[in-house]
Amino acid sequence: MSVTVRFAPSPTGRLHAGNIRTALINFLFARKTGGRLIFRLDDTDRERSTDEFAEGIREDLAWLGITYASEVHQSDRFARYAEAVEKLKSAGRLYPAYETPEELELKRKRQLARGRPPVYDRAALKLTPEERAKLEAEGRRPHWRFRLETRDVVWEDLVRGRQHVDASSLSDPVLVRADGTYLYTLPSVVDDIELGITHVIRGEDHVVNTAPQIQLFEALGAAPPAFGHHSLLVNADGQALSKRDRSISIKGMREEGIEALAVASYCATIGTSDPVAPHANLDELVRGFDFAKLSRAPARFDPAELRALNAKLLHMLPFEAVAGRLKGMGVEGGATFWGAVRGNLAVLGDAGTWWEVVRNPLSPVIEDRDLCRRAAELLPPEPWDETTWERWSTAIKQATGAKGKALFQPLRLALTGREHGPELKLLLPLIGRARALARLEGKTA
Ligand code: GLU
């Protein structure tokens, strides 16, 4: 049996790091097993779902390199859900209930007051046809509940291990609202059956849905798939993260200049037993993927850690991996330039700053006039390479007696206008003799 999994966001917002963990786990598992990933848009809520959000989700997935075999829209499939509803009704597994939200709330309060769990009492199941007719004559429209079988439901969760739920402790879930719209449960199961989903992998906020869903698979005549529920994200202080937190928005990360591979590396390793480390491609993540590595403890999402990981990733990327994007930024430096500056970048955009330092006029900072004058006189003739700096700085040291920071800092400030940056032995040949000379003389060059 080949693996088929799905990533099923609702297009009611943009993706955040939590969604991307789910998407990645599904994607990596499919790739590792030679299976397929289906992208399913859970857009039954026509009011909150928008095409813009759907497009935004596609854009984020594409940026991260998360590809899928096909895209399915729940909004195209209402007829299938209606068929399932009929099937459940005729099997006596879907029954109309008429309580208003206020009446249900009152029942819950009474149960709690008596120390009982607030489970729906199935009063609607006991209604006679006359009583139902009377309620409908009063203008009440029914919502529809799935009658659970009161037995234990057990599954081997891919992340959490053996799970055991006593279905008699659960309320019969509402599948269809009074206005005829569907809650998420039924469409999801109908789709999982028809798309041949073998593994449902999602966040642990869905653990509570699993026992009713397993019964629903069975009521619709299908064998339930395997289930895996990964832990959710918390922030650096251990608090649950809200969707509205901008730091976890994928679009926000992209706009901040974070590399897609840094986001993928980070989201695929937090909450696992693997160290958080940069990976140069998704294949590496595929090779390392294993459900056994997923921790049950919450995954800590720390924007500062992601930024640090991004810098580490840039420091190891070869020129070929960034050449096209550098060109797009107007940075024409080649592999030598990249090799010189990559260790100093927080985001790729910073390469533009160093390109300007080596290629555009800048105002030098002259901290030690005498030293700079001597240094200018001692500049060797071109051609220059990585060994030039060593020869030149040794000569300045001998001529002036300056050494250590007193030698290097004035030279760095004069040559680059900055206190920190890439190694001068790498920058010097890129700056070139004419520009270096002028800058040491205090001229804008
Ligand atoms: N649309 C649901 C969600 O985003 C899908 C849950 C599932 O994977 O079953 O939470």
Side-chain angles (χ1 to χ4, degrees), residues 48-249:
R48 292 176 55 228
S49 302
T50 71
D51 289 342
E52 287 75 39
F53 283 134
E55 191 46 37
I57 292 172
R58 276 183 217 107
E59 200 177 289
D60 290 345
L61 292 175
W63 178 64
L64 288 163
I66 300 178
T67 50
Y68 36 85
S70 59
E71 177 177 324
V72 175
H73 297 191
Q74 290 197 323
S75 56
D76 292 339
R77 299 174 44 78
F78 285 117
R80 317 297 289 166
Y81 310 145
E83 279 169 33
V85 161
E86 288 317 310
K87 194 167 169 182
L88 292 170
K89 280 184 189 168
S90 49
R93 295 296 298 275
L94 200 62
Y95 62 93
Y98 296 84
E99 291 91 345
T100 63
E102 296 73 29
E103 285 165 351
L104 290 171
E105 187 50 34
L106 203 63
K107 282 189 192 208
R108 268 194 288 271
K109 279 195 183 136
R110 275 201 216 113
Q111 284 167 312
L112 288 170
R114 287 193 208 125
R116 297 214 196 111
V119 177
Y120 178 60
D121 61 6
R122 294 184 159 171
L125 260 185
K126 290 159 211 136
L127 292 173
T128 62
E130 294 72 38
E131 285 168 327
R132 260 189 253 144
K134 191 167 165 260
L135 286 165
E136 299 211 2
E138 283 170 14
R140 294 216 193 189
R141 298 258 71 79
H143 50 274
W144 295 82
R145 287 188 185 261
F146 177 54
R147 187 170 58 75
L148 293 172
E149 286 174 351
T150 49
R151 57 179 167 82
D152 285 359
V153 179
V154 176
W155 78 93
E156 281 307 324
D157 196 280
L158 292 158
V159 182
R160 301 161 63 84
R162 195 176 183 76
Q163 304 288 297
H164 196 278
V165 177
D166 170 8
S168 64
S169 68
L170 303 173
S171 297
D172 289 339
V174 177
L175 300 190
V176 189
R177 296 187 189 90
D179 64 3
T181 59
Y182 297 98
L183 280 102
Y184 136 86
T185 314
L186 175 91
S188 184
V189 170
V190 170
D191 293 344
D192 288 341
I193 294 172
E194 291 193 16
L195 300 171
I197 300 301
T198 57
H199 298 72
V200 168
I201 304 161
R202 56 192 178 186
E204 69 181 12
D205 47 339
H206 286 288
V207 170
V208 290
N209 297 329
T210 305
Q213 286 188 346
I214 287 176
Q215 288 207 7
L216 196 48
F217 275 98
E218 289 167 352
L220 291 170
F227 288 89
H229 294 90
H230 61 76
S231 65
L232 302 181
L233 292 185
V234 292
N235 65 18
D237 302 324
Q239 279 146 1
L241 273 163
S242 139
K243 279 185 199 173
R244 275 164 278 282
D245 191 327
R246 234 192 92 70
S247 71
I248 61 168
S249 135

Side-chain angles (χ1 to χ4, degrees), residues 348-364:
L348 189 72
D350 295 347
T353 309
W354 293 111
W355 182 243
E356 284 183 17
V357 165
V358 299
R359 278 302 134 102
N360 286 355
L362 65 77
S363 312

